[in-house]
Amino acid sequence: MTQASHHTGTGSAQTDRLLEMYRRMRRIRRFEERASDLYKATEIPGFLHLSIGQEASAVGACWPLGPRDGITSTHRGHGHVLAKGLDSASMMAELMGKEAGTCHGRGGSMHIADPGLGIYGANGIVGAGLPIAAGVATAAKLRAAGDVVVAFFGDGAVAQGMFHEAVNLAAVWDLPVVFLCENNHYSEFSPEAEQHRAPLSARAAGYGIEYRHVDGNDVSAVAQTMTGIVARLRAGGGPVLLEAETYRWHGHYEGDPERYRPAEEVAAAKERDPLLVARRQLDAAAADAVDEEIDKEIEAAIDWARSLPEPAPETLHDYVSAPRLPVPEPAPLPADAEIFRSMDAVRLALEHELAADPSVFVAGIDVGAGGNVFGLTRGLAQAFPGRVRDTPISESAVVGTAVGAAMAGMKPVVEIMYMDFIGVCLDMLLNQAAKLRFMTGGRASMPLVVRTQFGAGRSSGSQHSQSLEAILAHIPGLTVVMPSNPADTYGLLRAAIQDPNPVVFVENRLQYGLKGPKPPADHLIPLGKAKVVREGTDITLVSWSRMVQDALAAAELLAGEGIGVEVIDLRTIAPLDRETVLASLAKTNRLVIAHEAVRDFGVGAELAAMAVDEGFWHLDAPVTRVAPPPVPAPYAPSLERVWLPSRDTIAETLRRIAAV
């Protein structure tokens, strides 16, 4: 939306603009006031955080933005999304949890989004919108269309690591993003002075970016400042940190007893009411007419929302994941196929998708000029300039960039160097990538891949050896893939990049040198489908990743003893291919699971529960797991050998179960 499209046609252009700004602020104010009333009347469930008093910063910031420009918001985000152009009726329905709400009742007050309008999400996690904004800005820069992004955040978010990571990444990449701090001087219940020792001006200098300050209660001043900043960014300028000083009239949340600030302070702040500041420059009759118009609009929105149904119970599972296009299982590779390595499979899959789809880009720590710590991406940065990007050591910013870029229509493939480092950026997977499609009622598209690797057995120690797939598989909305051989690595990685859902693709570094037949360039493996890699009649043995090779070796040993072991390679951990496992169990009546992750609370436990629940009448022996004990991965080789399962420990378990 632009200034020019909102002139009323009477009076001076300046007066017309100010009257339109007043209309937008009044819409926010009335929406918030009525939301407060409805919350008290229990017509709005859940949490409610209002921005009454902060209307000028939202309206002024969004004033120079067009439909393609983006914003990210906060848990106090009603004003931002209304100022960007979202309609008040669908928003009110969303707050009431109605099916016709902006996000079909899946997001509520804190999670409203509409990427089609450039609204990339209000967010219940403090600071989380900042890395996402960097991702949206990355997409804008790669498209070179002159689009800009505004990341709204409060002064409390400055204490988050995500603030540092996002601003630093944006500075290093010269992204077209405005980091707009609505400084209302309180971080939840704590005054600003107790939260920070350095002003934002000093922080901006530390990042080497421009700092600006504006009166956040003067909508004209905010709009004028932002118009200049946005023009500079459209011309190729880098990020700006803008501080808009303002004040929230209500508590941190509705129902907040507000014991942390004196009533006199709030009363004094209300004397600088953004709406009154604007009204003093407007004709009273014109402003009154706007008030009446907006009051009718909001009451009509409430009446409409009240009349609507809530989501039907049978829609519970809607929007968790995007539908997958069917991919057939490829034909077996010919015996005389060329041989290649798993590390070649990763590079060739990335190269193929980068060449085939201009929306694909690769980013991560040392993936560009350095070619990855294992040399997997060597040469790709030169072959695809600007699309294979080195990042700072900032895992939250890396994954957050992928989230934002995916919502903005790109297909990012980002790398987390070691699987152990997933813990550093877990919010971006747990609360953003996995949930945003669901919480936005399907409005947010999330086609992204997070590549990472793990592998015990070479004394890498407890912080570089962990197999953490159970943590990720427990998060609804994430797809988790763990290939066991070079051809599957190639076919599954290509399928993951083409998939419309967030995929964590986990390689085993001890297999990078593993050799196997090279598939044709169009080779794809279906996600969510396990494969029987060895037929057998006596025991079903399920495994994944490198442990499949040990499982096959153990099955070969048992074959010499007259025991037929059917080996299943899960390939995809989540979603779990229950049908293939249960069909095999129905044939063999025995189930053993072998994995590299520690035994307790793992994927093996889920498979065992499935067998007992859905396959109980087929079982002739206990379901048994072969896995490391619940001990961190040891460094000393003597301890690691005892800790990690092997061909022989798997074979020993198979013999025991076969004898039952």
Side-chain angles (χ1 to χ4, degrees), residues 237-314:
V240 175
L241 182 55
L242 174 62
E243 183 175 12
E245 283 201 68
T246 183
Y247 196 87
R248 59 169 163 85
W249 294 7
H250 283 221
H252 168 57
Y253 57 89
E254 289 303 281
D256 176 0
E258 296 189 69
R259 297 190 180 95
Y260 50 88
R261 62 182 183 180
E264 311 88 76
E265 180 182 296
V266 179
K270 288 182 178 181
E271 294 177 8
R272 287 285 295 160
D273 180 349
L275 275 72
L276 290 179
V277 171
R279 273 190 81 110
R280 292 184 191 118
Q281 305 169 60
L282 292 170
D283 175 72
D288 288 344
V290 167
D291 291 353
E292 185 178 350
E293 169 200 333
I294 294 300
D295 287 354
K296 289 178 179 176
E297 174 192 319
I298 300 303
E299 292 310 309
I302 293 170
D303 290 343
W304 178 74
R306 278 176 172 152
S307 72
L308 299 170
E310 294 182 343
E314 58 268 23

Side-chain angles (χ1 to χ4, degrees), residues 530-579:
K531 185 178 182 181
V532 176
V533 291
R534 181 189 175 101
E535 298 278 354
T537 56
D538 299 320
I539 303 175
T540 297
L541 174 57
V542 180
S543 192
W544 52 94
S545 191
R546 186 176 70 92
M547 198 64 70
V548 170
Q549 305 303 327
D550 288 321
L552 287 168
E556 187 67 26
L557 278 178
L558 271 288
E561 303 169 20
I563 300 171
V565 178
E566 181 150 295
V567 180
I568 295 176
D569 181 356
L570 281 186
R571 305 192 298 194
T572 299
I573 309 304
L576 185 62
D577 183 354
R578 300 169 184 273
E579 291 78 9

Side-chain angles (χ1 to χ4, degrees), residues 489-506:
T489 299
Y490 177 84
L492 287 166
L493 182 52
R494 284 194 60 231
I497 296 170
Q498 294 178 19
D499 197 70
N501 296 292
V503 180
V504 181
F505 191 90
V506 187

Side-chain angles (χ1 to χ4, degrees), residues 202-219:
R203 294 176 187 274
Y207 294 114
I209 66 174
E210 181 182 349
Y211 168 81
R212 301 287 297 277
H213 180 278
V214 70
D215 179 357
N217 288 340
D218 185 338
V219 69

Side-chain angles (χ1 to χ4, degrees), residues 355-377:
D357 188 343
S359 68
V360 174
F361 72 92
V362 175
I365 300 159
D366 294 327
V367 302
N372 167 275
V373 68
F374 299 102
L376 305 181
T377 57

Side-chain angles (χ1 to χ4, degrees), residues 86-133:
L86 198 57
D87 70 289
S88 55
S90 72
M91 274 186 64
M92 192 61 77
E94 183 62 30
L95 265 60
M96 291 186 182
K98 301 302 181 72
E99 174 62 39
T102 308
C103 301
H104 299 292
R106 270 67 172 184
S109 170
M110 288 192 287
H111 309 116
I112 292 175
D114 187 349
L117 292 175
I119 299 167
Y120 292 96
N123 212 298
I125 307 298
V126 173
L130 302 175
I132 293 172

Side-chain angles (χ1 to χ4, degrees), residues 333-339 517-518:
L333 298 176
D336 60 349
E338 180 185 347
I339 300 300
K518 182 180 179 181

